[in-house]
Amino acid sequence: MIDWVYNRGIRKFDGVIYTQERMKIPVAHALYMPDYWYKKEKYDRFASIPKEEKAVCLGAMNPYKKLEELVEVFNGLEYPLEIAGYFFDRDRAARLKQRVKDNIFINDRILDDVEYYEKLGSARYAVLPYDMEQYKNRTSGILLECAFLGVVPIAPDELLKENGLAGIGYTSIDEIGEKIFQSDVLEILGKNQAKVQRDFNEDLIRNRFVEWMSCFDRTERASETGN
């Protein structure tokens, strides 16, 4: 019923811009436009930071991030992990700090932009421990910026597929321990770099938008002339 109402309603639009690449839009004039794109002046200096052997988990630490499971996995791996961002639940942060081993550092505060990009750009991996019941059909800024900065994302398979990006995918966080050291990092980075050049290039996005807008001009002129 919801799909029927959605499809009927969206067909009333002359054109639609959508940000989720794999969405099916039943409109003739539909344009995929990512809500993040590569800006050389913004990202280049952070992409060039030498990578450290560590993983990061960044951003707002809301109830829908599976942090307890993530800590459990990295406690077993004994691989460096930094969890940095504002915790909605301060008691949760305190409980997690009591559970971590020496390889895990929890930084409970809001990061400014420069600090955020420095932490992300210097990491080998970035973990996105999302609950896909809450993140379904959503884009992820951190996921896209991993591709921009040459960082390997570790994320649910569904999230990677929905965004068309390569990474270390899992259906259960427990799988990270098996997959993290068995994945071809260079292959992942190569695929994402190619996609950034193809789909997230600022000039190409601008040109696609101009071309998309010109379709409306041609349609309007055709209707005025009766052709």
Side-chain angles (χ1 to χ4, degrees):
M1 179 65 178
I2 293 176
D3 289 342
W4 179 83
V5 172
Y6 167 80
N7 288 329
R8 183 178 180 183
I10 202 168
R11 287 193 179 100
K12 295 181 179 180
F13 292 97
D14 294 324
V16 173
I17 295 175
Y18 61 101
T19 61
Q20 186 62 277
E21 182 179 15
R22 306 209 172 191
M23 286 184 71
K24 295 181 179 179
I25 307 297
V27 176
H29 294 306
L31 173 69
Y32 165 60
M33 180 183 287
D35 47 11
Y36 286 73
W37 52 80
Y38 191 86
K39 292 179 177 285
K40 183 179 178 67
E41 66 276 11
K42 178 178 181 179
Y43 293 112
D44 265 15
R45 67 186 176 111
F46 300 109
S48 64
I49 298 174
K51 298 295 185 279
E52 301 175 25
E53 283 300 332
K54 67 176 183 180
V56 294
C57 176
L58 305 176
M61 301 301 160
N62 60 50
Y64 307 118
K65 287 185 176 177
K66 298 183 176 183
L67 300 177
E68 287 76 14
E69 294 91 332
L70 182 64
V71 163
E72 200 64 34
V73 167
F74 275 82
N75 273 342
L77 285 175
E78 298 187 355
Y79 185 82
L81 169 68
E82 181 176 4
I83 299 172
Y86 178 76
F87 276 76
F88 288 24
D89 183 343
R90 313 310 288 274
D91 291 336
R92 185 188 190 193
R95 290 194 299 270
L96 285 172
K97 288 179 180 179
Q98 292 177 348
R99 293 174 56 178
V100 299
K101 291 185 177 180
D102 291 342
N103 59 299
I104 301 176
F105 176 69
I106 296 177
N107 192 348
D108 175 17
R109 65 182 178 83
I110 298 173
L111 305 177
D112 63 40
D113 284 350
V114 171
E115 190 174 14
Y116 163 82
Y117 286 118
E118 286 178 344
K119 287 184 182 296
L120 183 59
S122 66
R124 178 72 64 200
Y125 306 98
V127 192
L128 289 69
Y130 295 165
D131 180 346
M132 289 307 296
E133 291 297 319
Q134 303 297 326
Y135 281 84
K136 190 175 182 63
N137 294 326
R138 290 174 57 181
T139 55
S140 166
I142 295 178
L143 177 59
L144 295 180
E145 287 179 329
C146 282
F148 297 165
L149 300 183
V151 179
V152 176
I154 302 174
D157 281 319
E158 187 177 355
L159 185 72
L160 293 171
K161 289 176 182 176
E162 285 180 356
N163 289 272
L165 287 168
I168 299 174
Y170 63 81
T171 55
S172 169
I173 286 185
D174 294 342
E175 297 170 9
I176 294 174
E178 303 169 7
K179 294 183 174 183
I180 188 170
F181 302 125
Q182 298 177 6
S183 301
D184 189 331
V185 169
L186 293 180
E187 182 181 1
I188 291 170
L189 296 178
K191 288 180 178 179
N192 286 343
Q193 184 180 44
K195 183 171 178 63
V196 169
Q197 293 172 348
R198 184 177 67 249
D199 292 338
F200 298 101
N201 179 286
E202 188 173 13
D203 292 332
L204 292 179
I205 291 172
R206 184 185 300 109
N207 293 339
R208 286 201 296 263
F209 177 73
V210 171
E211 174 62 24
W212 181 73
M213 289 296 294
S214 71
C215 293
F216 296 99
D217 293 336
R218 290 195 293 268
T219 301
E220 186 175 347
R221 286 196 300 269
S223 64
E224 289 174 351
T225 59
N227 295 325

